[in-house]
Amino acid sequence: MSAGAASPDLEVGFEASCLARERWEGTTAVVLSAVLIPLWIVFDALLEPEWVQPFTAMRLVATAVASICVVAIRRARTTRGLRAWVVLALAVGGASIALMLPHVRHFPAYVFGFSLFFWGAGAMFSWPARWSLALFGFLLAVMSSGFAVWPDARELADFVAAGFYIGSAGVIATIMTLVRSQLVRDGFVVSHELAMRNADVERTLEQLRDAQARLVASEKLTALGRLLAGLSHEINNPLNVLHNNLDPLGASLGGLLEVARAAEAATAADLPALRRRCAELDVDTTSKDVRDATEMMRAAMERVRQVHADLRAFIRGDAPGMVLGDPGEGLRATATLLSRRLPEAVRVEVDVGPLPRTAFQPGQLNQVWHNLVQNALDAVGDAGTVTVRARAVGDRIEVTVADSGPGVAREHQARLFEPFFTTKGVGKGTGLGLAMSYQIVERHGGAMFLDGGYTNGARFVIQLPVRAASALPVLAGSDPGASRRAG
């Protein structure tokens, strides 16, 4: 971005940065002059004792002006005002030295002291070069005026040498200021462009995060819908048992209650009629039917309760907080839920014993288990075996999900955990499942990889550290839907 094409925001920002930077530069330069100028009174007394009184007065005036300018510089609100105060302080101090030059016997020492205003300005200031030119031009004019007013005080060679040295110092210092000013300007432009690009990148990342979150939510709903569709039959069968037994059970209980009420109020004369009624109802058989129906309904309710318990164990971790517990509980529940209503030739073997208590986010890890087990079931198709194992290995928990399917092609293995990479057909996978699972496991401090040495299908290994509960950050948008293998 060139200066001519600079945006208003760039100019405003550059002005603000110049004000802050030049305030420090100007304060430092003026404070140094206010300290060094009066220190030279000692040299005046040693080198030029006959001039010590007027020189001291001139130095004290320059020091007082510099002190006032320091306060003004600290309070300046614009770069123009700040620069004007800096120039005033240095001009008064430099002019006082310039007017001493025609009278001193130790001319080189005072010329050197005068040149420090030039070298110092060139080394310290990054303001526009025109301000240095104005300051240097004024100081050279004062020096020339002093030589003109007292022409007999020095030899012509001193005037020429001093003019050449101070003029050279002014030119070099101006070039230094010009280069420094341009470097500062270019650096700010580059940093401004970088900040703008970073802002654009951040906006793009935010949009990608939003899109990812929507994809994850959509995938999760799809997976949950598929899971619930499979569970509907599991719940419908027990409900049918309950429904089919309610009317017969009600009729049987009604007859038994009728006999019980009649027996309660019966007299000796009513016994023959009561016996006939019991014979009609076949009380023994009816009682047995009631017990059988009750047992069938209890078994149906137990089946519904178990489905509910498994489903609750699977979804109980939707809240983002970390908990201290056994991750195997969710693994068992997930495998059980997904193993319902499978083809007859598909077996799911679950070998998950008690695991060490560790800090984890149940909802996220349950989603990892769901992704891996569902991928394995998809891989075996209508016939095969899926094996889910978990065990403690040292200070880590190792979970493996293996299938007897065709395995993962070698050319696909390196890309398994890439977002949106899938080996499935169109509409069968988003490519998010394994990628998000990998991020979740990594965020839990663990590792997830494909076991390259497993040759009977595919086996994924998850290793999680055993750790105490802590406020671990939760991966944003990491509650992914259950995708299929590599998807």
Side-chain angles (χ1 to χ4, degrees):
M1 180 184 294
S2 65
S7 67
D9 289 342
L10 174 63
E11 292 303 324
V12 171
F14 185 66
E15 179 73 12
S17 71
C18 286
L19 183 62
R21 184 184 64 258
E22 292 180 25
R23 192 189 306 280
W24 181 87
E25 296 172 352
T27 301
T28 303
V30 175
V31 167
L32 283 175
S33 68
V35 172
L36 294 177
I37 288 176
L39 286 180
W40 270 74
I41 294 175
V42 177
F43 294 95
D44 293 336
L46 294 175
L47 301 178
E48 309 292 339
E50 66 276 14
W51 290 98
V52 68
Q53 290 184 352
F55 284 7
T56 299
M58 295 169 66
R59 291 183 185 279
L60 291 178
V61 170
T63 301
V65 172
S67 301
I68 295 172
C69 289
V70 167
V71 177
I73 289 169
R74 301 303 298 174
R75 296 180 177 179
R77 293 292 177 265
T78 64
T79 53
R80 184 180 296 274
L82 184 149
R83 293 164 184 167
W85 285 111
V86 173
V87 169
L88 174 62
L90 298 181
V92 172
S96 65
I97 307 299
L99 293 176
M100 298 177 189
L101 294 178
H103 310 290
V104 296
R105 288 180 290 110
H106 297 80
F107 187 66
Y110 281 81
V111 170
F112 173 74
F114 181 55
S115 71
L116 290 180
F117 286 90
F118 295 80
W119 297 123
M124 296 184 65
F125 294 142
S126 58
W127 58 14
R130 62 179 180 273
W131 290 89
S132 292
L133 286 173
L135 174 62
F136 298 160
F138 174 78
L139 294 179
L140 287 171
V142 172
M143 184 185 72
S144 300
S145 299
F147 290 156
V149 172
W150 296 288
D152 299 330
R154 306 224 59 85
E155 295 181 0
L156 180 62
D158 291 337
F159 297 154
V160 173
F164 179 78
Y165 174 67
I166 297 301
S168 300
V171 172
I172 295 173
T174 301
I175 294 174
M176 292 170 62
T177 303
L178 181 64
V179 172
R180 184 183 175 93
S181 174
Q182 188 61 44
L183 288 175
V184 169
R185 172 77 181 189
D186 292 345
F188 182 83
V189 171
V190 170
S191 64
H192 178 78
E193 291 179 346
L194 182 60
M196 296 295 292
R197 291 177 183 177
N198 286 341
D200 291 339
V201 170
E202 184 60 32
R203 284 192 295 269
T204 302
L205 287 176
E206 186 63 30
Q207 293 172 357
L208 287 174
R209 282 192 289 266
D210 291 342
Q212 183 186 52
R214 288 193 294 270
L215 283 172
V216 165
S218 174
E219 188 74 2
K220 180 179 179 180
L221 289 176
T222 301
L224 192 57
R226 178 176 175 177
L227 183 64
L228 293 178
L231 293 179
S232 65
H233 184 79
E234 291 293 313
I235 297 175
N236 189 56
N237 281 346
L239 289 179
N240 285 336
V241 171
L242 294 175
H243 181 269
N244 293 336
N245 281 280
L246 280 177
D247 289 341
L249 182 61
S252 298
L253 288 176
L256 293 176
L257 288 175
E258 178 187 346
V259 171
R261 283 193 296 267
E264 183 180 9
T267 62
D270 298 325
L271 288 178
L274 186 59
R275 290 192 181 97
R276 287 193 301 271
R277 181 55 180 158
C278 289
E280 292 174 358
L281 288 176
D282 194 357
V283 173
D284 293 338
T285 302
T286 301
S287 299
K288 183 178 182 300
D289 290 343
V290 169
R291 286 193 297 270
D292 291 344
T294 303
E295 288 301 321
M296 291 176 63
M297 295 174 72
R298 181 181 293 109
M301 289 303 300
E302 178 62 25
R303 191 173 182 182
V304 172
R305 189 198 65 78
Q306 186 60 48
V307 171
H308 172 264
D310 291 340
L311 188 59
R312 184 177 181 183
F314 174 73
I315 67 173
R316 73 183 179 91
D318 267 355
M322 302 293 290
V323 301
L324 186 64
D326 180 359
E329 178 186 345
L331 178 58
R332 283 188 295 270
T334 303
T336 301
L337 285 173
L338 292 176
S339 62
R340 300 177 184 274
R341 300 290 298 168
L342 293 176
E344 186 176 345
V346 175
R347 292 185 302 112
V348 177
E349 298 177 354
V350 180
D351 180 13
V352 180
L355 298 176
R357 292 170 63 82
T358 185
F360 68 104
Q361 209 290 325
Q364 293 185 7
L365 283 189
N366 287 349
Q367 208 59 51
V368 174
W369 314 144
H370 187 283
N371 289 340
L372 294 178
V373 176
Q374 185 62 64
N375 282 352
L377 290 172
D378 289 343
V380 300
D382 295 330
T385 302
V386 173
T387 305
V388 179
R389 288 193 174 95
R391 58 177 180 164
V393 181
D395 60 348
R396 303 182 74 82
I397 294 173
E398 184 175 277
V399 177
T400 61
V401 179
D403 64 68
S404 59
V408 180
R410 184 174 298 275
E411 63 270 19
H412 294 155
Q413 293 181 8
R415 303 186 60 193
L416 274 180
F417 302 112
E418 291 182 9
F420 305 108
F421 174 75
T422 179
T423 60
K424 299 182 178 180
V426 177
K428 295 184 178 180
T430 62
L432 283 176
L434 287 180
M436 297 305 296
S437 297
Y438 184 88
Q439 293 180 24
I440 292 171
V441 172
E442 189 177 55
R443 197 58 176 264
H444 279 74
M448 176 177 172
F449 56 90
L450 176 69
D451 185 355
Y454 190 74
T455 58
N456 296 324
R459 179 166 63 186
F460 286 87
V461 181
I462 299 94
Q463 295 176 338
L464 297 172
V466 177
R467 67 178 80 191
S470 59
L472 295 176
V474 176
L475 185 62
S478 60
D479 201 2
S483 63
R484 311 302 177 247
R485 175 165 306 276

